[in-house]
Each structure stands twice: as C-alpha cells, then as structure tokens.
Amino acid sequence: DQQVKQNSPSLSVQEGRISILNCDYTNSMFDYFLWYKKYPAEGPTFLISISSIKDKNEDGRFTVFLNKSAKHLSLHIVPSQPGDSAVYFCAAGGTSYGKLTFGQGTILTVHP
Amino acid sequence: GAGVSQSPRYKVTKRGQDVALRCDPISGHVSLYWYRQALGQGPEFLTYFNYEAQQDKSGLPNDRFSAERPEGSISTLTIQRTEQRDSAMYRCASSLRESSYEQYFGPGTRLTVT
C-alpha cells in the first residue's frame, strides 16, 4: 500500500526552464511534507518542507505547493540548473512522530 | 561540520550470519532514525530514538532486527541470521529536535546477503 506516490519515474528539462515534480498521497493523517534531493552515492539531502496549514513555501529557486483537497503536492524549480540533476523524493509525516513515509523518487535531468 | 556517518559503507555477508551496522549522528542531534531502502524505492522507516530511548520500532520487519543507542549518540542496527531478502541500503538519519520530520541522512550501508 503506497501511501506516497511519485508517478513520474523521470523528468527531463532544459536548463533555465521550470522543473515541476509531483507527489500524491492517500493518508489524510499526513500534515507535514518534505522534499529531499539525492545525488549518486550520497544520502538524501533535505531541500524544503511545508506544513499542512500552508499552501505554499518558497526558498530561493525552490517552491513547494500543497493542495490538501487533492492530496497533492508539487516542487517547482525555477530556473533549473544542470546541478539540480538528481533523484527527488517526496516524504510525508503525521501518522506518528518522527516517522517519514517516502515516495519512490523521480529522476530529474537538466540538460545544458 | 561533520554529517551523519555510517559504517561499514558496504557489507557482504553469508546467509545465516549476524551483522551490525553503525551510525554516528551529527553532533548535538538528539534523535536518530533508521530506514531501509530497496533499489528504485524511497527509504522505508524502521525505528527511531530520542536520546537513548527507542520511541517507535513499528517498522522493524521481524524479531531478527534490533537497534540500540545506549548512550544517546552512536546507534547500532543488528540483523541476526541474515536472509537474502535483507539485502538493501540501510540509511541512518538524525535530527536536532526530538521526533522531528526534518531529518539529515547519512550515506548508507549497502548490505548484500549471499
């Protein structure tokens, strides 16, 4: 039972354009959401988060949008840079303290 | 400052052997989390500690898996009588605050059971 889903295994974007990564969840208990970025041979790195009391959070080139009614969140990267090429994981918390539930990941490739 | 470190980075063991995986959290981080990640999937929660107290072990697959953090710093995840299905990347994370969702991950230990 996959409670957090990233339905796009991969995404390819031209440098300078917008990257949009999507994530859907099924458990209405989730109330905190995070995006992690992972480079090869490294652990996931925390990128940005959003609480369910907000619908948008912005940090530099990265913005996360949350649509609670649709149980959907997205990560926008503008402008995309080749160094953004990595695997991006969506994660959710709220069912029990400390426990994160992750999606399967989306491989983002930004072409120069 | 130093991030989360894990050792060994790679471990190959024969079926039936016990293994111990070590995690050294970021200095000052009070909580420590263990996850397991299969190829092509996201990390899957196993257990976590606030200081030395194990708070939630609901993700441990069976009683062959155990974890400890006796002094509230370094943690060991032990798998007894390993099976091939235990092969995975085992990831450790730590957080500055108790039971936080903002977790900082180590590079992982790749376990292969032959």
Side-chain angles (χ1 to χ4, degrees):
Chain A
D1 175 29
Q2 192 79 26
Q3 297 187 63
V4 178
K5 297 181 184 179
Q6 295 175 254
N7 292 315
S8 298
S10 62
L11 175 67
S12 183
V13 171
Q14 203 70 27
E15 182 179 6
R17 306 294 292 267
I18 184 171
S19 295
I20 301 176
L21 297 106
N22 294 302
C23 178
D24 297 295
Y25 61 96
T26 57
N27 194 330
S28 55
M29 294 281 292
F30 290 140
D31 61 5
Y32 199 83
F33 304 89
L34 307 91
W35 285 94
Y36 281 83
K37 178 167 79 171
K38 185 189 170 308
Y39 292 121
E42 295 183 8
T45 303
F46 169 70
L47 192 57
I48 192 169
S49 62
I50 188 167
S51 164
S52 61
I53 62 174
K54 295 185 175 182
D55 55 18
K56 176 182 173 181
N57 189 26
E58 193 171 350
D59 183 1
R61 296 186 298 114
F62 302 91
T63 303
V64 56
F65 294 93
L66 176 62
N67 183 333
K68 289 185 290 294
S69 60
K71 293 191 174 67
H72 177 84
L73 65 155
S74 61
L75 175 68
H76 293 210
I77 307 174
V78 183
S80 301
Q81 299 173 353
D84 296 330
S85 297
V87 180
Y88 287 79
F89 290 100
C90 166
T95 56
S96 56
Y97 292 120
K99 175 180 176 179
L100 287 176
T101 302
F102 282 82
Q104 310 96 305
T106 296
I107 301 169
L108 173 66
T109 304
V110 180
H111 298 282
Chain B
V4 176
S5 61
Q6 294 186 243
S7 61
R9 292 293 306 276
Y10 302 91
K11 177 71 177 178
V12 180
T13 190
K14 291 188 186 307
R15 189 178 56 188
Q17 297 293 306
D18 298 350
V19 295
L21 312 180
R22 175 186 162 123
C23 173
D24 198 344
I26 294 171
S27 178
H29 280 202
V30 301
S31 295
L32 185 148
Y33 312 80
W34 283 100
Y35 290 81
R36 179 169 69 172
Q37 186 173 9
L39 207 58
Q41 300 294 317
E44 180 183 10
F45 173 82
L46 294 176
T47 185
Y48 88 97
F49 297 81
N50 285 338
Y51 301 96
E52 73 282 358
Q54 193 168 19
Q55 299 296 314
D56 182 345
K57 54 182 180 179
S58 63
L60 295 176
N62 50 61
D63 60 8
R64 295 186 297 106
F65 287 72
S66 62
E68 61 174 11
R69 193 186 185 203
E71 296 178 3
S73 180
I74 292 167
S75 176
T76 303
L77 177 70
T78 301
I79 309 173
Q80 296 180 313
R81 305 180 302 281
T82 52
E83 302 177 5
Q84 284 190 321
R85 60 179 170 153
D86 299 333
S87 296
M89 177 71 82
Y90 288 83
R91 296 201 184 277
C92 173
S94 67
S95 67
L96 182 62
R97 293 187 298 271
E98 290 183 38
S99 307
S100 174
Y101 296 129
E102 294 190 11
Q103 301 171 14
Y104 295 83
F105 282 81
T109 294
R110 169 71 67 188
L111 174 67
T112 303
V113 182
T114 60

